[in-house]
Amino acid sequence: MSSAAIDSHSVVVVGAGLAGLYAAKLLQQRFPDVIVLEATEQPGGRVKQVHGVAPWPIEAGPQFVHGANSSLKTMLDQMQCGIKEYPWPDWWYFGKEHRFVKGPEKDEDLENTHRLFSEVGSESYPETDISGEQWLRNKGVSDKVLAIADACYANDFGCSLHQLGLRELITENQKWDSGESYLVLDCPLSALVQHIAKNLNKQIHCNCPVSRIEHDAKGAVITLYGGRQIKCRHVAVTVPITVLQRDDITFSPPLPQLKQQAIQRVKMSNAIKVIMMFAQPFWPDGFFDVVCTDSFIPEFWVTDPPLTPSQPQPASATTALQDVDKPQHAQQEQSAPVHCMVGFVAGSRAEEISKLRQNSVIIKTLSQLDQMFGTRKQRFPATSSFLNATIVDWSREKHIHGAYTYPTLHTQVGDRDVLAQPIGTTVFFAGEATHSAINPCMQAAMETGQRAAAELLECQAGCPTSSKL
């Protein structure tokens, strides 16, 4: 192991996403000198906002808290966040039929799709994994059920139906306990990041990407890009799995072979948000969310200004995001009221859309909205009211390179546990990809940070340690 370290800490956390921040928060009392190394210019990881496209910050990453029973809700209550609960999906739009269906309305194919996915946990693990698409075809479902499953379930998982793996889908269904509704906060999700990090600000070091971790039973030496080295007794690695897949961080000695294989099997696809501002709302009163089958964009939702403003963000926070110019016919005064609708697409569709020119994406999205909401009186309600747009393409986000992990085809049962397993008493792992329940949500990321912190503390105390969100 190199002896050139110029700084020393008891614990170093690599990555300032929710997993890393929460691990550091839990470790701070026992290790006051804990530091967090973040590769990007601000903490929060995939929790970040777009500034400038609207008079309020728009979430670039996670938009909702998934499930009223989420373990995160306790912390949100402590923060005194206002919360609205919405059913999901709120509306359906069947593209081939050009037909809207309100969530509670009866539809045989919808009911069949929901039943199959709600009962998938009772399936036996296949000896050879198959895709979600093949699983449904084996059930003899209709093409409409396949379209619903792809636009709703697969897209929400962050993939396409042919990428979804039955093995991990079974595990996810068996272990999901947060509920099916969406919780919308009255404050930006940056408030959650600030709440977790409020006593860590001096210990979070941004623009510090790690290039190498040398480790043995006595500790680790961490090398940053640029050559700076930091020595520590313990290191918690909480980076996105794509960073490990790309070997952006090398380990010496190399990670165990089983862990390397699990890292390569568990996948993270891309996700794209098309954030669009309009002068007038053209959707029904009370409208929140719609899932669209056989359509360019499979999901839209409306987002309102938060009641609690976020702290000002530097202009550089959105330099990686791509702004689309306003068309000349839609120029508006900055003070005029605006309305925001967000399109969300993941998986293979997102990968294909990423190849298109930005204006093409905007035109196709507006065309879909016109087709969905147009009337005889107003055939082009979206296009006529359009002001501007921003596209968030997570495959282009440096140090992240994707959205979130999904129940992956051809994984092995237990791969997530292998990802989470520490290396001796020196290197620990957290992040949503390491969650044993195949849960990529914010609460899951924090739960893995909690687990890694408990494992590290157990090494020090010699007895089990636990904490709660």
Side-chain angles (χ1 to χ4, degrees):
M1 179 179 292
S2 169
S3 60
I6 61 173
D7 199 1
S8 181
H9 292 268
S10 300
V11 178
V12 173
V13 177
V14 180
L18 293 183
L21 291 175
Y22 197 60
K25 177 184 178 73
L26 297 175
L27 292 167
Q28 188 177 31
Q29 183 175 358
R30 176 65 180 83
F31 302 105
D33 66 335
V34 61
I35 62 170
V36 184
L37 302 177
E38 168 57 33
T40 68
E41 59 195 8
Q42 63 187 38
R46 282 163 272 183
V47 177
K48 61 187 298 185
Q49 290 75 39
V50 177
H51 296 265
V53 68
W56 68 92
I58 306 294
E59 301 293 345
Q63 189 87 29
F64 317 107
V65 176
H66 289 262
N69 301 324
S70 165
S71 58
L72 183 56
K73 192 171 182 300
T74 300
M75 181 172 289
L76 297 175
D77 290 340
Q78 293 171 354
M79 295 168 56
Q80 298 183 325
C81 291
I83 298 174
K84 290 183 179 179
E85 183 175 356
Y86 291 92
W88 180 83
D90 182 29
W91 287 79
W92 295 86
Y93 176 76
F94 298 117
K96 287 185 175 180
E97 305 169 29
H98 304 295
R99 180 169 67 97
F100 271 104
V101 172
K102 180 68 174 170
E105 293 180 20
K106 296 292 185 180
D107 182 279
E108 182 179 351
D109 290 302
L110 276 179
E111 292 177 354
N112 191 23
T113 309
H114 292 327
R115 178 185 59 79
L116 287 165
F117 276 87
S118 67
E119 296 175 356
V120 68
S122 63
E123 298 271 348
S124 300
Y125 286 101
E127 184 175 344
T128 300
D129 202 13
I130 61 173
S131 70
E133 179 180 2
Q134 187 60 54
W135 165 65
L136 290 174
R137 290 190 183 280
N138 291 348
K139 298 285 186 182
V141 303
S142 65
D143 288 343
K144 185 177 175 182
V145 168
L146 289 171
I148 293 168
D150 195 34
C152 178
Y153 287 94
N155 194 64
D156 188 54
F157 278 127
C159 64
S160 298
L161 194 58
H162 69 272
Q163 298 171 310
L164 195 62
L166 181 57
R167 283 175 177 161
E168 288 202 326
L169 186 59
I170 291 170
T171 300
E172 189 276 341
N173 180 266
Q174 291 174 345
K175 296 188 176 183
W176 177 260
D177 59 3
S178 294
E180 300 304 325
S181 59
Y182 276 6
L183 304 184
V184 179
L185 309 185
D186 68 355
C187 61
L189 288 170
S190 57
L192 174 63
V193 175
Q194 294 159 7
H195 178 79
I196 298 171
K198 63 183 176 182
N199 295 320
L200 290 168
N201 288 336
K202 294 182 179 180
Q203 292 154 279
I204 300 172
H205 301 267
C206 293
N207 297 311
C208 290
V210 170
S211 65
R212 182 175 176 85
I213 298 176
E214 301 172 76
H215 58 96
D216 60 22
K218 296 179 181 179
V221 172
I222 298 168
T223 303
L224 308 185
Y225 283 90
R228 178 188 172 194
Q229 292 187 307
I230 302 169
K231 186 177 181 179
C232 61
R233 176 63 190 90
H234 308 285
V235 56
V237 179
T238 71
V239 298
I241 195 169
T242 46
V243 172
L244 302 179
Q245 290 170 342
R246 292 160 54 96
D247 290 326
D248 290 347
I249 300 175
T250 59
F251 292 82
S252 179
L255 296 176
Q257 189 67 25
L258 286 177
K259 189 180 286 288
Q260 290 188 45
Q261 292 170 349
I263 287 170
Q264 295 304 321
R265 280 194 292 262
V266 173
K267 303 300 184 184
M268 178 192 294
S269 188
N270 188 23
I272 288 175
K273 279 188 172 183
V274 184
I275 301 170
M276 311 188 79
M277 307 306 300
F278 298 96
Q280 299 292 334
F282 48 83
W283 44 87
D285 290 342
F287 176 90
F288 165 61
D289 171 274
V290 59
V291 169
C292 313
T293 66
D294 301 301
S295 301
F296 180 65
I297 301 293
E299 184 174 15
F300 291 97
W301 58 76
V302 172
T303 179
D304 296 322
L307 298 179
T308 306
S310 65
Q311 294 183 1
Q313 296 291 323
S316 59
T318 59
T319 53
L321 304 176
Q322 305 164 16
D323 291 338
V324 178
D325 294 335
K326 302 176 186 179
Q328 290 299 315
H329 72 274
Q331 296 290 338
Q332 298 285 329
E333 294 293 331
Q334 290 297 315
S335 58
V338 294
H339 306 269
C340 182
M341 178 172 277
V342 179
F344 177 76
V345 55
S348 298
R349 288 180 295 267
E351 293 163 8
E352 290 302 312
I353 289 176
S354 183
K355 301 174 185 177
L356 300 177
R357 295 174 62 89
Q358 297 174 58
N359 284 344
S360 177
V361 175
I362 299 303
I363 291 169
K364 286 177 178 289
T365 305
L366 287 171
S367 176
Q368 179 180 334
L369 291 172
D370 285 336
Q371 186 178 50
M372 291 170 61
F373 292 98
T375 63
R376 290 183 178 179
K377 185 177 180 180
Q378 175 54 278
R379 294 178 59 194
F380 307 105
T383 299
S384 63
S385 188
F386 175 65
L387 296 175
N388 58 11
T390 289
I391 297 175
V392 183
D393 184 340
W394 279 96
S395 69
R396 302 178 187 273
E397 293 292 313
K398 192 176 181 182
H399 305 298
I400 298 175
H401 310 292
Y404 46 89
T405 62
Y406 58 87
T408 308
L409 181 63
H410 299 314
T411 52
Q412 299 294 321
V413 176
D415 271 350
R416 305 299 180 118
D417 295 322
V418 173
L419 293 179
Q421 189 172 356
I423 301 175
T425 60
T426 301
V427 187
F428 299 82
F429 294 88
E432 53 88 4
T434 72
H435 199 280
S436 62
I438 329 295
N439 184 342
C441 300
M442 292 183 291
Q443 65 265 28
M446 293 175 63
E447 287 167 5
T448 67
Q450 172 186 313
R451 176 205 18 92
E455 291 168 342
L456 197 157
L457 289 168
E458 184 177 345
C459 290
Q460 289 285 316
C463 60
T465 305
S466 64
S467 61
K468 296 181 179 180
L469 293 180

